[in-house]
């Protein structure tokens, strides 16, 4: 039997989500086509224009996850639940990317503060993008009791301004090594981190830190530096303490991609951990890994003139944090695409936390 056009067509892959981080080789469907990301991107709609990050893989349909024309029309699609069927206390159910939702589930979408009801089962598609799977709705506030699946009513451990649900939303594809509990445990090393100034400033600093490490690790995907050819280059033999763990032992690890023997020693001395002799702790202990990232953020100027922490709490803006982390290579026109990648993530994360970005975003 010769298949019909609808059954022979290439199946659509998972629909594109503006909030999701895509790294090289990941795919998404958009506007009836499948697309492959060539490198890291977020919030850039698939097209043949723009930065050129997306490669068109051709038309798709028939058997994929995207709806076909016949089942997406109002005449044949299942009716959306009416606002009157909204579960009580639905304002306490926060949408999290990658969570399986069944038809009728109501969620709050943090970036815009609105509520949406699932009109079809879906694996956590973005309500503002996948409009076939979600419809806007209203929500009763008569009963403040949390729903069984809600995580937003539990006070954030350690008083961190980013909840676990928000963290999951920011990093839907993260490596399981980068745990939220590990991040919270690391906060004790520097109590002033994301805990200085107004609530807005605290959230802006948290968003700025997470946006920069998002860029450094491809969305918290990579734990260690991927270019193994660089590994032997991070031993500064002029240091009196040398490289006791081996010349190739001080490659980039963790959320800030800590590298060089002198940085491992300085971070270890500050944190009370012997990282000079045990650099692998940064890739095996989530709390240690997070602590090294926060150590750099709080104490190191890098190629800039101030710490990233001071840049945020003193109102110098997100752009100054980029300068403190990789400004010698990216700022002043060095690599505007990399700078924009960081800015895009920061803009997305501040929206999730419900605060403005502030000024001076770029460097």
């Amino acid at each position: 039997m010769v298949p019909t056009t609808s059954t022979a067509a290439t199946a659509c892959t998972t629909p594109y989500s503006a909030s999701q981080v895509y790294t090289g080789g990941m795919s998404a469907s958009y506007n009836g086509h499948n697309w492959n990301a060539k490198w890291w991107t977020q919030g850039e709609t698939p097209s043949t224009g723009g930065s050129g990050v997306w490669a068109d893989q051709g038309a798709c349909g028939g058997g994929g996850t995207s709806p076909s024309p016949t089942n997406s029309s109002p005449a044949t699609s299942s009716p959306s639940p009416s606002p009157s069927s909204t579960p009580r206390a639905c304002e306490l159910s926060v949408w999290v990317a990658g969570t399986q939702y069944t038809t009728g589930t109501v969620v709050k979408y943090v970036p815009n503060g609105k509520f949406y009801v699932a009109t079809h089962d879906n694996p956590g598609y973005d309500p503002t993008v996948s409009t076939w799977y979600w419809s806007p709705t209203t929500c009763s506030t008569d009963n403040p009791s949390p729903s069984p699946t809600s995580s937003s009513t539990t006070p954030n451990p350690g008083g961190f301004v980013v909840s676990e649900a928000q963290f999951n939303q920011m990093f839907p594809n993260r490596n399981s090594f980068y745990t939220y509990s590990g991040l919270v445990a690391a906060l004790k090393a520097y109590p002033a981190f994301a805990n200085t100034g107004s609530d807005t400033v605290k959230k802006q600093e948290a968003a700025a830190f997470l946006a920069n490490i998002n860029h450094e690790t491809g969305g918290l995907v990579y734990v260690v530096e991927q270019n193994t050819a660089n590994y032997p280059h991070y031993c500064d033999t002029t240091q009196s303490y040398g490289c006791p763990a081996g010349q190739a032992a001080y490659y980039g690890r963790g959320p800030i991609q800590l590298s060089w023997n002198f940085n491992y020693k300085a971070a270890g001395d500050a944190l009370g951990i012997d990282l000079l002799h045990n650099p692998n702790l940064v890739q095996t202990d989530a709390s240690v890994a997070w602590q090294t990232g926060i150590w750099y953020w709080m104490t190191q100027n890098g190629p800039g003139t101030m710490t990233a922490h001071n840049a945020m709490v003193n109102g110098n803006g997100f752009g100054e944090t980029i300068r403190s982390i990789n400004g010698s290579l990216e700022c002043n026109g060095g690599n505007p695409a990399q700078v924009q990648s960081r800015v895009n993530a920061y803009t997305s994360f501040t929206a999730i936390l419900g605060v403005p970005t502030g000024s001076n975003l770029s460097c």
Side-chain angles (χ1 to χ4, degrees):
M1 179 181 295
V2 178
T4 64
T5 300
S6 62
T7 58
T10 301
C12 288
T13 187
T14 305
Y16 166 76
S17 170
S19 65
Q20 180 169 329
V21 169
Y22 294 90
T23 54
M26 293 182 66
S27 61
S29 62
Y30 183 79
N31 206 20
H33 283 237
N34 282 329
W35 303 81
N36 278 355
K38 300 177 186 177
W39 54 81
W40 187 100
T41 184
Q42 183 182 38
E44 187 171 352
T45 304
S47 72
T48 54
S51 67
V53 65
W54 291 103
D56 189 352
Q57 303 301 301
C60 66
T65 55
S66 295
S68 64
T70 56
N71 64 15
S72 62
S73 64
T76 57
S77 61
S78 57
S80 301
S82 63
S84 61
S85 65
T86 299
R88 289 193 299 176
C90 62
E91 72 276 7
L92 300 181
S93 296
V94 175
W95 172 83
V96 177
T99 299
Q100 185 66 42
Y101 293 103
T102 57
T103 302
T105 301
V106 176
V107 297
K108 181 176 182 179
Y109 187 71
V110 173
N112 63 15
K114 296 181 179 180
F115 298 96
Y116 296 84
V117 59
T119 51
H120 298 85
D121 294 356
N122 70 88
Y125 296 148
D126 189 314
T128 63
V129 176
S130 301
T131 54
W132 188 74
Y133 293 97
W134 295 96
S135 293
T137 189
T138 56
C139 198
S140 169
T141 58
D142 294 339
N143 185 350
S145 301
S147 62
T149 58
S150 172
S151 60
S152 63
T153 56
T154 303
N156 296 344
F160 190 37
V161 294
V162 179
S163 71
E164 185 168 8
Q166 291 167 333
F167 179 75
N168 290 336
Q169 185 177 351
M170 293 172 179
F171 303 103
N173 300 309
R174 76 177 189 277
N175 189 305
S176 59
F177 171 77
Y178 290 112
T179 61
Y180 179 78
S181 59
L183 171 57
V184 171
L187 300 180
K188 66 181 183 296
Y190 290 95
F193 169 71
N195 198 31
T196 303
S198 67
D199 287 343
T200 294
V201 171
K202 293 174 185 177
K203 291 179 180 180
Q204 286 174 336
E205 183 181 5
F209 172 77
L210 294 172
N212 277 296
I213 64 156
N214 172 82
H215 179 82
E216 296 294 327
T217 60
L220 287 185
V221 171
Y222 301 116
V223 177
V224 301
E225 183 175 352
Q226 297 300 290
N227 187 356
T228 57
N230 282 340
Y231 287 13
H233 300 161
Y234 296 120
C235 176
D236 181 357
T237 56
T238 66
Q239 302 295 333
S240 60
Y241 43 79
C243 299
Q247 180 168 337
Y250 301 97
Y251 51 86
R253 295 178 176 88
I256 207 70
Q257 291 291 283
L258 187 72
S259 55
W260 289 97
N261 55 330
F262 50 80
N263 278 328
Y264 275 89
K265 184 177 190 307
D269 289 349
L271 298 169
I273 307 168
D274 186 3
L275 296 180
L276 182 66
H277 289 84
N278 301 287
N280 274 335
L281 285 174
V282 184
Q283 71 185 72
T284 59
D285 187 313
S287 179
V288 171
W290 282 115
Q291 286 181 64
T292 63
I294 297 173
W295 164 80
Y296 188 95
W297 183 267
M298 298 294 293
T299 69
Q300 302 300 297
N301 291 353
T305 60
M306 65 189 73
T307 67
H309 169 72
N310 285 338
M312 293 307 297
V313 301
N314 293 332
N316 296 96
F318 178 72
E320 204 61 38
T321 71
I322 303 174
R323 193 179 302 279
S324 297
I325 292 174
N326 208 26
S328 59
L329 296 178
E330 296 180 16
C331 293
N332 302 321
N335 196 329
Q338 296 295 300
V339 171
Q340 191 59 50
S341 166
R342 297 178 192 266
V343 173
N344 289 346
Y346 176 65
T347 301
S348 173
F349 292 175
T350 51
I352 289 173
L353 296 179
V355 293
T357 60
S359 57
N360 303 322
L361 295 184
S362 186
C363 62

